[in-house]
Amino acid sequence: MHLTTLARHALSRGRTPADTYALLARRTRKPLPSARAVCLALTIPHAETTRRLNDCYDALLANPTPGTETDTGELLEALGVFDIPKSLTDTELAIVDHLLTAIDAHGSLRPGHHHGLTRWFTTGNLTTAYLSLTTTHPMPRTGNPTLYWTALTTAGELLTTTHHSETRIKYALTHCRTQAART
């Protein structure tokens, strides 16, 4: 049976992508084809799958150690290798642009926070990305607080026009407007 078909079957039975990877990798002793099969079963485009796996190949897939398939699968999942990309609307793309402007204006965003934001952009979880940035203050020396809060205000205004608008966004938007007025 083809690995992608096996991955699709395992996923349809309720296995997580990490569990599915571990199952295939234990069975085949081939980590790269196993990871690729999970990505393709999740309908991640081939080119994107290749890019993601190239990014982590040396660290996780080049020299597999027997018995570590579960840990490797969990790492691949945590790194976002199995994140299903969402097609964004024009409004959502504009929101991402404003959030990226805020990230640049921050001055020193932690790598873990940046990684989380990238994953949220990929999966279309813009509300979470926005809310996480509104609780972070820009660096006064290396960042641009005025641009930061202005970009977040614009992103929040756009978010309130989407069908996903939440009360939390409205409160965060008020906070951003207040911060922008102070700078």
Side-chain angles (χ1 to χ4, degrees):
M1 191 178 271
H2 192 269
L3 276 181
T4 304
T5 304
L6 283 173
R8 220 176 270 121
H9 178 73
L11 291 166
S12 74
R13 297 279 189 193
R15 286 188 179 261
T16 66
D19 290 339
T20 302
Y21 165 81
L23 174 76
L24 296 178
R26 271 193 297 278
R27 182 177 284 184
T28 66
R29 302 266 186 245
K30 296 178 181 177
L32 181 60
S34 298
R36 181 177 293 114
V38 174
C39 288
L40 295 176
L42 291 167
T43 67
I44 298 170
H46 191 272
E48 178 65 12
T49 294
T50 301
R51 184 194 64 75
R52 291 178 187 190
L53 294 176
N54 284 344
D55 287 349
C56 67
Y57 177 78
D58 290 335
L60 295 174
L61 303 171
N63 298 307
T65 304
T68 62
E69 296 87 1
T70 299
D71 293 338
T72 301
E74 289 172 0
L75 282 169
L76 290 169
E77 196 161 23
L79 290 171
V81 171
F82 301 136
D83 286 351
I84 300 169
K86 179 185 181 276
S87 294
L88 301 177
T89 65
D90 289 342
T91 301
E92 291 169 329
L93 289 170
I95 292 166
V96 170
D97 284 341
H98 290 292
L99 295 177
L100 290 171
T101 298
I103 290 168
D104 289 342
H106 183 275
S108 183
L109 203 61
R110 294 182 330 272
H113 192 180
H114 198 277
H115 174 71
L117 289 164
T118 301
R119 290 187 70 191
W120 292 325
F121 295 159
T122 299
T123 60
N125 195 348
L126 303 183
T127 297
T128 302
Y130 175 73
L131 293 173
S132 79
L133 285 170
T134 63
T135 61
T136 304
H137 291 275
M139 305 304 286
R141 289 191 182 129
T142 57
N144 182 337
T146 302
L147 180 58
Y148 182 79
W149 294 114
T150 302
L152 287 179
T153 298
T154 306
E157 289 167 349
L158 288 171
L159 271 170
T160 61
T161 67
T162 66
H163 62 280
H164 301 296
S165 184
E166 298 180 20
T167 303
R168 296 180 305 160
I169 294 171
K170 293 173 185 163
Y171 287 119
L173 177 56
T174 300
H175 171 71
C176 292
R177 286 179 176 144
T178 301
Q179 293 299 322
R182 290 181 184 168
T183 57

PDB file of all heavy atoms in Angstrom, residues 41-42 54 69 86 128 134 157 164 178:
ATOM      1  N   ALA A  41      -0.999  13.542   2.750  1.00  0.00           N
ATOM      2  CA  ALA A  41      -2.309  13.068   3.199  1.00  0.00           C
ATOM      3  C   ALA A  41      -3.128  14.202   3.806  1.00  0.00           C
ATOM      4  O   ALA A  41      -4.360  14.182   3.754  1.00  0.00           O
ATOM      5  CB  ALA A  41      -2.136  11.940   4.212  1.00  0.00           C
ATOM      6  N   LEU A  42      -2.440  15.189   4.355  1.00  0.00           N
ATOM      7  CA  LEU A  42      -3.117  16.366   4.921  1.00  0.00           C
ATOM      8  C   LEU A  42      -3.433  17.407   3.853  1.00  0.00           C
ATOM      9  O   LEU A  42      -3.901  18.500   4.164  1.00  0.00           O
ATOM     10  CB  LEU A  42      -2.243  16.993   6.012  1.00  0.00           C
ATOM     11  CG  LEU A  42      -2.081  16.167   7.289  1.00  0.00           C
ATOM     12  CD1 LEU A  42      -0.957  16.726   8.161  1.00  0.00           C
ATOM     13  CD2 LEU A  42      -3.392  16.128   8.063  1.00  0.00           C
ATOM     14  N   ASN A  54      12.684  20.112   3.793  1.00  0.00           N
ATOM     15  CA  ASN A  54      14.077  20.536   3.593  1.00  0.00           C
ATOM     16  C   ASN A  54      14.574  21.366   4.769  1.00  0.00           C
ATOM     17  O   ASN A  54      15.727  21.269   5.162  1.00  0.00           O
ATOM     18  CB  ASN A  54      14.225  21.331   2.293  1.00  0.00           C
ATOM     19  CG  ASN A  54      14.201  20.456   1.064  1.00  0.00           C
ATOM     20  OD1 ASN A  54      14.375  19.245   1.142  1.00  0.00           O
ATOM     21  ND2 ASN A  54      13.953  21.070  -0.078  1.00  0.00           N
ATOM     22  N   GLU A  69      10.797   7.660  16.974  1.00  0.00           N
ATOM     23  CA  GLU A  69       9.811   8.084  15.972  1.00  0.00           C
ATOM     24  C   GLU A  69       8.706   8.948  16.583  1.00  0.00           C
ATOM     25  O   GLU A  69       8.283   9.929  15.971  1.00  0.00           O
ATOM     26  CB  GLU A  69       9.189   6.869  15.276  1.00  0.00           C
ATOM     27  CG  GLU A  69      10.177   6.054  14.468  1.00  0.00           C
ATOM     28  CD  GLU A  69      10.901   4.983  15.290  1.00  0.00           C
ATOM     29  OE1 GLU A  69      10.624   4.858  16.507  1.00  0.00           O
ATOM     30  OE2 GLU A  69      11.742   4.276  14.706  1.00  0.00           O
ATOM     31  N   LYS A  86      -4.107  27.641   5.051  1.00  0.00           N
ATOM     32  CA  LYS A  86      -5.445  28.141   4.720  1.00  0.00           C
ATOM     33  C   LYS A  86      -5.303  29.220   3.655  1.00  0.00           C
ATOM     34  O   LYS A  86      -4.420  30.069   3.739  1.00  0.00           O
ATOM     35  CB  LYS A  86      -6.102  28.744   5.970  1.00  0.00           C
ATOM     36  CG  LYS A  86      -7.484  29.310   5.715  1.00  0.00           C
ATOM     37  CD  LYS A  86      -8.026  30.000   6.953  1.00  0.00           C
ATOM     38  CE  LYS A  86      -9.401  30.558   6.732  1.00  0.00           C
ATOM     39  NZ  LYS A  86      -9.408  31.859   6.106  1.00  0.00           N
ATOM     40  N   THR A 128      -5.860  34.926  16.987  1.00  0.00           N
ATOM     41  CA  THR A 128      -4.857  34.575  17.996  1.00  0.00           C
ATOM     42  C   THR A 128      -3.565  35.353  17.763  1.00  0.00           C
ATOM     43  O   THR A 128      -2.949  35.837  18.714  1.00  0.00           O
ATOM     44  CB  THR A 128      -4.596  33.058  17.985  1.00  0.00           C
ATOM     45  OG1 THR A 128      -5.838  32.387  18.221  1.00  0.00           O
ATOM     46  CG2 THR A 128      -3.589  32.657  19.045  1.00  0.00           C
ATOM     47  N   THR A 134      -1.018  42.160  20.669  1.00  0.00           N
ATOM     48  CA  THR A 134      -1.542  43.289  21.438  1.00  0.00           C
ATOM     49  C   THR A 134      -1.135  43.234  22.902  1.00  0.00           C
ATOM     50  O   THR A 134      -1.209  44.251  23.596  1.00  0.00           O
ATOM     51  CB  THR A 134      -3.086  43.378  21.355  1.00  0.00           C
ATOM     52  OG1 THR A 134      -3.662  42.217  21.933  1.00  0.00           O
ATOM     53  CG2 THR A 134      -3.547  43.572  19.925  1.00  0.00           C
ATOM     54  N   GLU A 157      -8.987  46.907  13.324  1.00  0.00           N
ATOM     55  CA  GLU A 157     -10.161  47.449  12.642  1.00  0.00           C
ATOM     56  C   GLU A 157     -10.611  46.514  11.520  1.00  0.00           C
ATOM     57  O   GLU A 157     -11.806  46.285  11.331  1.00  0.00           O
ATOM     58  CB  GLU A 157      -9.865  48.849  12.106  1.00  0.00           C
ATOM     59  CG  GLU A 157      -9.747  49.881  13.214  1.00  0.00           C
ATOM     60  CD  GLU A 157      -9.161  51.200  12.763  1.00  0.00           C
ATOM     61  OE1 GLU A 157      -8.628  51.295  11.621  1.00  0.00           O
ATOM     62  OE2 GLU A 157      -9.215  52.161  13.565  1.00  0.00           O
ATOM     63  N   HIS A 164     -15.381  36.589  11.867  1.00  0.00           N
ATOM     64  CA  HIS A 164     -14.789  35.958  13.042  1.00  0.00           C
ATOM     65  C   HIS A 164     -14.628  36.946  14.201  1.00  0.00           C
ATOM     66  O   HIS A 164     -13.992  36.629  15.192  1.00  0.00           O
ATOM     67  CB  HIS A 164     -13.416  35.376  12.705  1.00  0.00           C
ATOM     68  CG  HIS A 164     -13.458  34.351  11.617  1.00  0.00           C
ATOM     69  ND1 HIS A 164     -14.125  33.158  11.746  1.00  0.00           N
ATOM     70  CD2 HIS A 164     -12.927  34.350  10.376  1.00  0.00           C
ATOM     71  CE1 HIS A 164     -13.991  32.466  10.636  1.00  0.00           C
ATOM     72  NE2 HIS A 164     -13.285  33.163   9.794  1.00  0.00           N
ATOM     73  N   THR A 178      -5.502  53.261  22.460  1.00  0.00           N
ATOM     74  CA  THR A 178      -4.997  53.998  23.635  1.00  0.00           C
ATOM     75  C   THR A 178      -3.475  54.102  23.594  1.00  0.00           C
ATOM     76  O   THR A 178      -2.903  55.165  23.809  1.00  0.00           O
ATOM     77  CB  THR A 178      -5.441  53.308  24.940  1.00  0.00           C
ATOM     78  OG1 THR A 178      -6.863  53.261  24.955  1.00  0.00           O
ATOM     79  CG2 THR A 178      -4.934  54.038  26.164  1.00  0.00           C
TER      80      THR A 178
END
